[in-house]
Amino acid sequence: MATTSTTPSLSSATSPPPSMRSISTSSTGSTTKPAGISYHRHFALPPPLPSVRHTHPDPFPALTVKQLAVLDPTGARTRLFDRTQPDAAKVGDVLLVTTRKGEPFAGVCLSIRHRGVDTAVLLRGQLMRVGVEMWHKIYSPNVVAIDIVWRRPKRARRARLTYMRHPKHDMGSVTHLVSAWKKERHSMRNKGRGFKGKTVGARF
Amino acid sequence: MIQLKSIINCIDNSGAALVECAMVVGRKGAARIGDRIVVVVQKDRGNADSVGVSQANKVRRGDMRHAVIVRTKYKTQRRDGSVIRFDDNACVLINKAGDPVGTRINGVVAEELRRKKWSKILSMAPMHA
């Protein structure tokens, strides 16, 4: 009360007490103005709260890392869909998803939906002449394996290949690609074993 | 999402080829996989073998029957987060008791039938997804 009487007041005769002085927002401190006094505010302002952005940062990146440590400990699944990796699975490739329960499902990848732990891939295949599309969460514990059966020779010019639902662009059944892949994989694994034992009569 | 006036394929050997949904049993909204509907047969299977097939047909055009939906174009989500969608809508005719009218099913059916307790249809189906 006493200190404000010396300063020139622009408006009311009663000046605010020191405890209710507003905090000056101007960076330059003028010599005539005592520190912390603003002449443009004559009402009480509470002190600003600490920024929540600094005290409580976004929890989701940390949660994702924690969940992926459990769901994908080796990081192989993440690498398979990592856009920066040159040998990643891309839209247009044929993927084979093996689940814990049920038959393995193979199909063209129409879309990859990147959402952290909920990253999913849309495959379009054919089951008994009926087109079937399936979304699979890549980090799901039910998804045992995802294999690239066939790579598209040229990069697709779209990120979502929904045009492949039309008969003109529909790839149809991919079982021939899966058979070829299985055959090649088998021969690679059993190189030099010749026609012994299990390779005889092996069915693809 | 099958509702009134939806025309769907019938994939058993009962004789019906296309059926039209008239009512969804036990639900106010549209029908999903594993739901029971009342259908009217709109088209029966071709008379390529003339006499033999028409005699083997258990249903004819205009018949009203119950049916179970086994495939939908509408997405069905599963508990593990996976989603399945077929390219057509299909059903299998049943009688009021729930027993299939036909003796064989051709085509794939959805696994959702297991949860809805349609085990007879699931066992008749050559493939389920």
Side-chain angles (χ1 to χ4, degrees), chain B residues 31-52:
Chain B
R32 312 267 184 109
I33 294 179
D35 286 347
R36 194 172 174 149
I37 55 171
V38 177
V39 297
V40 175
V41 179
Q42 293 294 344
K43 197 165 151 197
D44 41 20
R45 257 173 225 292
N47 304 308
D49 302 354
S50 61
V51 179

Side-chain angles (χ1 to χ4, degrees), chain A residues 84-95:
Chain A
T84 57
Q85 296 276 332
D87 58 347
K90 289 183 189 56
V91 146
D93 294 345
V94 173
L95 305 179

Side-chain angles (χ1 to χ4, degrees), chain A residues 73-204:
Chain A
T74 59
R77 197 60 58 79
T78 312
R79 266 197 300 282
L80 183 62
F81 290 96
D82 186 359
R83 284 173 276 207
T84 57
Q85 296 276 332
D87 58 347
K90 289 183 189 56
V91 146
D93 294 345
V94 173
L95 305 179
L96 175 74
V97 170
T98 315
T99 43
R100 245 198 249 157
K101 280 198 301 184
E103 293 296 311
F105 183 75
V108 195
C109 175
L110 298 189
S111 169
I112 301 173
R113 183 180 189 262
H114 291 276
R115 293 289 188 281
V117 181
D118 286 326
T119 303
V121 64
L122 175 61
L123 301 179
R124 182 180 170 82
Q126 225 179 50
L127 293 174
M128 293 196 75
R129 313 288 302 155
V130 176
V132 180
E133 282 179 26
M134 284 197 84
W135 279 103
H136 276 291
K137 301 273 184 216
I138 63 169
Y139 295 117
S140 166
N142 282 333
V143 168
V144 168
I146 301 179
D147 299 299
I148 302 175
V149 160
W150 179 81
R151 285 186 192 272
R152 199 186 153 97
K154 271 195 171 181
R155 181 185 66 90
R157 300 212 60 155
R158 252 145 210 78
R160 321 271 180 238
L161 308 184
T162 50
Y163 64 80
M164 295 188 81
R165 290 177 180 150
H166 294 287
K168 184 182 170 191
H169 297 109
D170 199 351
M171 204 185 247
S173 179
V174 295
T175 42
H176 61 286
L177 294 170
V178 175
S179 317
W181 173 79
K182 277 189 182 168
K183 204 169 177 180
E184 201 194 340
R185 205 164 76 137
H186 179 89
S187 68
M188 297 271 256
R189 285 181 177 178
N190 301 321
K191 250 184 199 174
R193 281 199 210 162
F195 292 105
K196 291 184 199 169
K198 288 173 194 169
T199 54
V200 174
R203 289 209 224 147
F204 304 105

Side-chain angles (χ1 to χ4, degrees), chain B residues 19-88:
Chain B
V19 299
E20 181 186 308
C21 174
M23 198 183 87
V24 177
V25 172
R27 190 199 274 263
K28 269 204 172 156
R32 312 267 184 109
I33 294 179
D35 286 347
R36 194 172 174 149
I37 55 171
V38 177
V39 297
V40 175
V41 179
Q42 293 294 344
K43 197 165 151 197
D44 41 20
R45 257 173 225 292
N47 304 308
D49 302 354
S50 61
V51 179
V53 171
S54 54
Q55 280 179 354
N57 280 3
K58 298 181 185 76
V59 295
R60 282 187 321 210
R61 241 190 116 244
D63 280 2
M64 210 155 78
R65 290 274 188 278
H66 284 229
V68 177
I69 294 169
V70 297
R71 290 201 299 255
T72 49
K73 244 182 150 172
Y74 188 75
K75 294 176 202 175
T76 310
Q77 190 164 28
R78 296 181 171 168
R79 294 298 293 271
D80 65 346
S82 62
V83 173
I84 191 162
R85 195 193 81 97
F86 297 93
D87 267 6
D88 68 343

Side-chain angles (χ1 to χ4, degrees), chain A residues 28-42:
Chain A
T28 56
S30 73
T31 47
T32 52
K33 220 195 282 187
I37 299 180
S38 160
Y39 294 115
H40 300 288
R41 286 199 213 136
H42 296 280

